[in-house]
Amino acid sequence: MQLWRTFFQPSALLLTLALLPTFAVSVQAQRAIDKIRPALVRRMQAAAAVMRQEGAPRPLHRIIVGLKPSLTTLPSDSRPRIRALQEAVFNAPIQGTLKVRHRYQTLHGFSAEADGVAIGDLAKQDAVEAIYLMPVFRASAIESHPLTATDEVHRAGFTGKGITIAVIDDGIDHDHLVFGRLRDWPNAKILDGYDFADDDDDPRIDCNEQDHGTAVAGVAAGDGLSVTGTAPDATLVFLKVERSADCGQGIYRGDVVGALEWVLRHHLEYNIKVVSMSFGFGAFDNADICDTDPDIPRPYVEAIDQLDAAGITIFAASGNEGLCTQIEYPACMSKVISVGSVFDDDIDPQTYCISSATCEAGTAGSCGENRQVCSHDQPEADLVPCYVNSAGILDILAPADCARTASVQRGTTESCFRGTSFATPFAAGVAATLLEAIDGSLDPSIMKRMLTSTGVQVLDARNTLLKPRIHTYAALHALLDEVTPCPDCPRHTGNLTHPGTMVLPAPPFRSPAGLHQGWVLGTMGTDVNLYLLQKWFGVWQIVAGATSSTAIESIRFNGQAGEYVWAVQLHRGSGAYDFWFMQP
């Protein structure tokens, strides 16, 4: 113990200086790896998996390469400087395939198509600052994720991995590229399912008109073809409730109670923690009445109660009829989280057909009997669309209008999936990312409280109700602060006062071979990094690091037997931190 005090306590600077000579090579390699941004890493990993399965050639990825700007470059000479940096990169030895698309003239970088080998060689070059997956401008990932800070949670390393979402809907296109194009049924992404409409074990679509469930699943857990779900690494089970005889009619005549019961029977087998239901009927303004309505089959209520008791969080759409004081069933139930929607960005004027029972003033147009037109001339982010069913019992809002998600039409994407049908799987995927952070166990009432208490308050001008719109990162931060990611681990606390400060929250320890896990939670708004070091031949070397631009970091590392120590570093801001770790 005295050795620990002598060597480690003086300062973080001493630790840094002691380490530099001994693991400079590993740091250099780590810097090259860190240049490849996480979204691109995930895409490369997914492509590699498909390549191994199908024997396909090495795929090309559309990328943007950022080059290091010079602090001494003046605007007048920036173009020659940028061109010189580009030439330095192009003239360096690069293996693999690199096809330059656009050489930026006033921006430090260029766009290209490159395979994994070329991307690796680019990352080794000093002139390269970072390599990004080229963004595709679409509503779901480009606006919805930043609006809700879901992208920050993904950068912190939480993407729903290990959590399974049960989707109840009209059918799924199981081998779609958005789900990894895995030909087998079931497969590693969609683990199982059942068709409760046709009473068979095949929940796959019967026709291309059964397109709703595939789109819903893509919003929650898609990861391909420019689609990124809110839980891109979550797995799915799919319960089909539309008959082949009603193919594409949009009428769910399957046994929804049977689907819920199937989830209950299989939730331990597949680690099902979330249910998403983008459908409903009726109109209710009171949860107690909704729970006890005699027209609703009692087994339905029992199934919801038992799922809630099993720790499974259930989401359902509030509905798209434009009702201002009522929402649909099952969203109205007290143990279901009801989801309405908001626009995720400024978009073109929109027009919808809604129930004439709305409080919304009608606009010109015809929608049929007992229907009317409502419209928005200037839709903007966090505006509640006029089609949304709302009421005092509505729990949360999530983005919609429009999502790019999976389409069954020739395995492509749907450019504008909208409505509370979009908002519901969005929220379900968010729940999966939160559950991953705490190893998947959480009382649904706590999940509801986390989502509602940390959401951004949005005013629905139609009924003057304030409702929380999901803020994924704030919910994650609050959840880790209350529940902790490792209930059986001691909590270590401290303060980080200056950027660059590195502290050791716990003494070094000897460990057998196996899985090391660590979590750090900094003050919201700060940027902290987490490292795991191992002693090799008397010197400490970094063996794992987590350096996203967030206050939340986690590491899982399978290591050999030896002596280890954890280190927390402050990159931006200042404040308290909490740290937990588990050794093999």
Side-chain angles (χ1 to χ4, degrees):
M1 182 61 71
Q2 188 60 40
L3 256 178
W4 147 252
R5 289 175 178 164
T6 302
F7 185 78
F8 288 97
Q9 276 195 341
S11 68
L13 178 62
L14 176 60
L15 173 67
T16 304
L17 293 176
L19 293 175
L20 278 176
T22 63
F23 62 89
V25 174
S26 62
V27 167
Q28 184 179 7
Q30 187 62 48
R31 284 174 179 168
I33 294 171
D34 289 344
K35 291 180 182 180
I36 306 174
R37 305 309 299 154
L40 178 55
V41 171
R42 290 196 299 269
R43 182 61 54 84
M44 292 166 66
Q45 290 172 338
V50 174
M51 184 175 65
R52 286 194 299 269
Q53 287 182 1
E54 301 186 0
R58 189 184 300 132
L60 297 180
H61 306 278
R62 289 197 174 191
I63 60 173
I64 291 177
V65 179
L67 303 178
K68 294 179 180 177
S70 170
L71 297 178
T72 60
T73 299
L74 300 175
S76 59
D77 65 357
S78 62
R79 292 192 182 199
R81 169 66 176 170
I82 289 169
R83 190 165 189 84
L85 284 171
Q86 292 169 344
E87 292 295 337
V89 172
F90 300 152
N91 291 333
I94 297 176
Q95 302 297 315
T97 301
L98 174 67
K99 298 179 180 179
V100 177
R101 295 177 57 83
H102 296 289
R103 295 179 61 164
Y104 303 140
Q105 297 182 38
T106 58
L107 304 174
H108 288 79
F110 59 90
S111 64
E113 292 182 3
D115 61 16
V117 174
I119 290 171
D121 284 346
L122 285 170
K124 297 175 185 176
Q125 297 193 41
D126 290 338
V128 172
E129 185 172 61
I131 306 173
Y132 309 85
L133 182 67
M134 185 180 291
V136 179
F137 292 96
R138 61 194 190 278
S140 63
I142 300 303
E143 287 89 21
S144 299
H145 288 202
L147 178 69
T148 57
T150 301
D151 54 344
E152 290 192 43
V153 173
H154 291 173
R155 286 197 296 271
F158 302 113
T159 54
K161 187 174 182 179
I163 306 298
T164 299
I165 302 169
V167 176
I168 304 175
D169 217 286
D170 66 355
I172 191 163
D173 185 4
H174 80 286
D175 60 353
H176 199 289
L177 282 167
V178 166
F179 307 121
R181 200 182 181 186
L182 304 175
R183 299 294 190 186
D184 294 339
W185 170 259
N187 56 54
K189 181 70 172 180
I190 308 172
L191 306 180
D192 203 350
Y194 197 84
D195 185 343
F196 285 92
D198 294 315
D199 196 22
D200 60 56
D201 59 3
D202 188 352
R204 292 177 290 182
I205 59 174
D206 302 307
C207 63
N208 280 349
E209 286 68 38
Q210 283 180 339
D211 56 1
H212 193 262
T214 300
V216 164
V219 171
D223 189 22
L225 268 189
S226 78
V227 171
T228 301
T230 46
D233 289 327
T235 48
L236 298 166
V237 294
F238 200 95
L239 293 313
K240 183 171 173 285
V241 289
E242 182 178 283
R243 301 185 308 181
S244 57
D246 299 320
C247 200
Q249 296 295 312
I251 300 170
Y252 295 89
R253 294 185 179 176
D255 184 357
V256 175
V257 177
L260 293 171
E261 195 269 341
W262 188 98
V263 173
L264 191 62
R265 285 190 287 111
H266 294 275
H267 76 99
L268 294 176
E269 179 182 0
Y270 297 122
N271 200 33
I272 303 169
K273 295 295 184 179
V274 183
V275 174
S276 179
M277 297 186 288
S278 291
F279 55 84
F281 68 89
F284 296 82
D285 61 4
N286 182 290
D288 291 335
I289 294 174
C290 180
D291 287 343
T292 59
D293 190 289
D295 292 332
I296 296 171
R298 190 68 218 161
Y300 208 144
V301 179
E302 291 174 356
I304 295 293
D305 287 346
Q306 290 183 40
L307 288 170
D308 179 82
I312 298 170
T313 303
I314 307 165
F315 295 87
S318 70
N320 303 327
E321 293 300 304
L323 304 180
C324 304
T325 59
Q326 297 170 309
I327 62 176
E328 293 182 348
Y329 189 91
C332 60
M333 299 181 73
S334 59
K335 294 180 179 177
V336 173
I337 299 178
S338 54
V339 189
S341 62
V342 296
F343 289 107
D344 63 5
D345 198 14
D346 302 349
I347 61 174
D348 294 334
Q350 300 292 310
T351 299
Y352 311 96
C353 286
I354 60 175
S355 169
S356 58
T358 182
C359 66
E360 181 76 28
T363 54
S366 176
C367 288
E369 187 177 0
N370 298 322
R371 311 281 293 171
Q372 72 175 50
V373 175
C374 74
S375 61
H376 295 282
D377 292 332
Q378 294 182 311
E380 59 185 16
D382 276 341
L383 175 69
V384 178
C386 58
Y387 63 76
V388 174
N389 288 358
S390 181
I393 59 172
L394 178 65
D395 293 313
I396 58 173
L397 300 168
D401 288 79
C402 305
R404 181 174 293 279
T405 185
S407 169
V408 299
Q409 300 294 332
R410 298 180 300 280
T412 58
T413 58
E414 162 64 46
S415 62
C416 194
F417 183 49
R418 61 180 57 178
T420 56
S421 284
F422 162 22
T424 301
F426 190 101
V430 166
T433 65
L434 301 182
L435 288 164
E436 180 196 358
I438 56 168
D439 266 350
S441 296
L442 186 67
D443 187 289
S445 65
I446 299 177
M447 176 66 76
K448 179 185 284 190
R449 177 161 55 83
M450 290 295 106
L451 294 175
T452 55
S453 65
T454 62
V456 176
Q457 293 296 314
V458 171
L459 176 67
D460 187 339
R462 301 171 304 167
N463 52 22
T464 68
L465 289 173
L466 278 171
K467 292 296 176 181
R469 188 262 296 147
I470 282 177
H471 191 289
T472 311
Y473 183 77
L476 176 61
H477 200 280
L479 180 62
L480 291 178
D481 189 46
E482 176 173 325
V483 178
T484 80
C486 184
D488 297 327
C489 303
R491 179 188 293 224
H492 303 266
T493 62
N495 283 285
L496 298 166
T497 57
H498 302 291
T501 300
M502 180 179 285
V503 299
L504 306 175
F509 58 92
R510 295 202 64 83
S511 172
L515 179 65
H516 296 259
Q517 298 184 77
W519 303 264
V520 65
L521 173 67
T523 301
M524 194 161 174
T526 62
D527 179 2
V528 297
N529 298 329
L530 180 62
Y531 299 96
L532 178 63
L533 293 78
Q534 184 177 12
K535 184 177 282 188
W536 291 96
F537 303 103
V539 294
W540 293 99
Q541 300 189 43
I542 292 177
V543 292
T547 58
S548 69
S549 57
T550 68
I552 301 168
E553 300 289 0
S554 64
I555 287 176
R556 292 171 58 89
F557 176 76
N558 274 303
Q560 301 175 5
E563 191 171 0
Y564 290 85
V565 70
W566 291 93
V568 176
Q569 182 186 42
L570 178 66
H571 183 70
R572 183 185 69 247
S574 63
Y577 73 88
D578 294 297
F579 170 76
W580 307 261
F581 77 98
M582 181 184 294
Q583 62 193 75

